[in-house]
Amino acid sequence: MGPVLDILALRSLIAVADCGGFHRAAAALKVSQSAVSQHVRRLEKVIGRPVVERQGRATVFTPDGQALLGEARRILAAHDDALRRLLVGPERPAVTVGTTEHAADLLLPAITAALPGHQVRFRIDRTRRLDAAVDRGAIDVAVHLAEASAADGVPVGSLPLTWYAATGWAAPPGPWPVVAIEEPCVLRRRALTALTARGLEPYVVCDSGYVAGVLEAVRSGLGVALMATAATTPDGLRVRDDLPAVQPAAMSLRARSGADPQVVTAVTDALHTVLAQGRR
C-alpha cells in the first residue's frame, strides 16, 4: 500500500489553521496538544516536506502546507458527505453550495439554517473555479464576491471589510507591508488602492492561496491585511481603524441550470438577512 493521508490527521491540520495554532486546535478537537502535533508530523512524513513552521510564537503554514490544507478541506468535505449519506439515508435531498473563504464563518451557518430539510455540502474555493463548477452542474449554488466573477449573478448584499494587524504591531518607516490572497483577488486590489491613495506606498510582503495563511502571516507581524469583517476579532489580531475605510464588497449568487428554485430562494433570502446584519 502506498502513502495514505489519514482523516484524523487532516482534521487536526484544518483545526490548526482555523483556530490559529496547536493549543487552540487541541482544545477545539478535545484532544491533547501532543496528539495534534503527532498528526501534523504524520502528514509531513507522508508528503516528505514540512507543512508548518514557527515564526516567533506564531505557527505559519509553508507553501506545501497551504496546498495540503486546500486538499484536506476537499477530502474531508467528500468524506463527511459520504458518511452523512450512509448514516442518514437518502430521504433528505443533497445540496452542494460553493462559497469563497471570505466570511465563510458568517455565511455557512446561515445557509445551513436556511435548508433544514436538506443535506448541505459546502465547497470552499476561488471564484473562477466556483463559476466553472456551476457551469458544469457540479454545484447547485455559488456565492462569491461579484467583482471577482465575469458571470452575471443575483445580488445578495455586501460584505463589510476591515483592516487587521497583529496585536502590538507598529508600522515600519517607509512603505507599508501588506498580506493578501494571491492574485486574482478583489480584496488585495482594494487594499493596495486604498493605501496608495493615502500615500502609504504599500507592497505585498506575503501572499497566500488561502485566508488561513493570511491570518497566520498577519499574526506573526508581517504586515496588515484587508479582510471580511469578522463577527469577533480573530485571536492575536486587532482592528486598524486608522487606515482608510474601504467600501463593502458586493456579493452575488449563481445557481446551476435546473437547480431547485426553492433552494435558491431560501439561500438568497438567508444571505440578504445575514449580510444586512453584518453592516449594522
Side-chain angles (χ1 to χ4, degrees):
M1 179 183 294
V4 175
L5 292 172
D6 180 75
I7 293 294
L8 288 177
L10 294 175
R11 208 175 292 280
S12 288
L13 184 77
I14 292 173
V16 170
D18 291 347
C19 298
F22 284 74
H23 178 72
R24 287 188 287 267
L29 295 172
K30 295 181 172 58
V31 299
S32 67
Q33 185 171 334
S34 63
V36 174
S37 298
Q38 289 172 8
H39 289 165
V40 173
R41 285 197 296 271
R42 188 183 306 165
L43 294 172
E44 291 178 328
K45 184 176 180 181
V46 170
I47 70 170
R49 296 181 297 279
V51 299
V52 296
E53 57 187 19
R54 301 292 297 182
Q55 289 188 2
R57 293 186 176 182
T59 300
V60 179
F61 279 76
T62 66
D64 289 315
Q66 292 177 15
L68 178 59
L69 181 62
E71 299 296 342
R73 294 190 190 280
R74 284 186 280 273
I75 290 169
L76 280 182
H79 169 273
D80 293 349
D81 187 50
L83 199 58
R84 281 193 297 270
R85 288 196 303 271
L86 291 170
L87 296 180
V88 177
E91 65 273 10
R92 290 197 302 159
V95 174
T96 302
V97 180
T99 72
T100 60
E101 279 191 287
H102 303 295
D105 60 336
L106 177 71
L107 304 182
L108 270 56
I111 294 171
T112 300
L115 301 170
H118 293 76
Q119 300 178 54
V120 184
R121 174 188 174 187
F122 289 98
R123 173 175 169 179
I124 298 176
D125 212 332
R126 302 297 294 269
T127 296
R128 291 182 179 180
R129 289 195 283 266
L130 292 177
D131 276 339
V134 169
D135 293 338
R136 295 195 310 270
I139 59 178
D140 298 291
V141 177
V143 185
H144 46 57
L145 298 178
E147 191 177 329
S149 176
D152 292 332
V154 177
V156 292
S158 297
L159 193 62
L161 305 176
T162 297
W163 292 99
Y164 292 101
T167 302
W169 184 85
W176 272 60
V178 175
V179 181
I181 294 286
E182 62 188 10
E183 288 283 23
C185 176
V186 171
L187 270 57
R188 177 193 183 108
R189 294 193 295 272
R190 288 191 175 204
L192 296 176
T193 299
L195 293 178
T196 299
R198 178 69 68 86
L200 296 177
E201 301 180 32
Y203 71 99
V204 177
V205 67
C206 175
D207 58 12
S208 169
Y210 305 95
V211 169
V214 172
L215 286 170
E216 293 294 348
V218 175
R219 282 193 187 100
S220 70
L222 290 185
V224 298
L226 180 68
M227 305 182 69
T229 304
T232 58
T233 302
D235 289 345
L237 303 185
R238 69 183 180 96
V239 174
R240 291 292 302 239
D241 51 16
D242 56 328
L243 293 177
V246 179
Q247 288 296 312
M251 301 288 290
S252 65
L253 176 148
R254 291 188 67 216
R256 66 170 176 81
S257 176
D260 185 339
Q262 292 184 334
V263 167
V264 176
T265 298
V267 173
T268 301
D269 290 347
L271 292 172
H272 276 301
T273 298
V274 74
L275 290 172
Q277 291 172 344
R279 292 197 301 271
R280 294 172 187 169

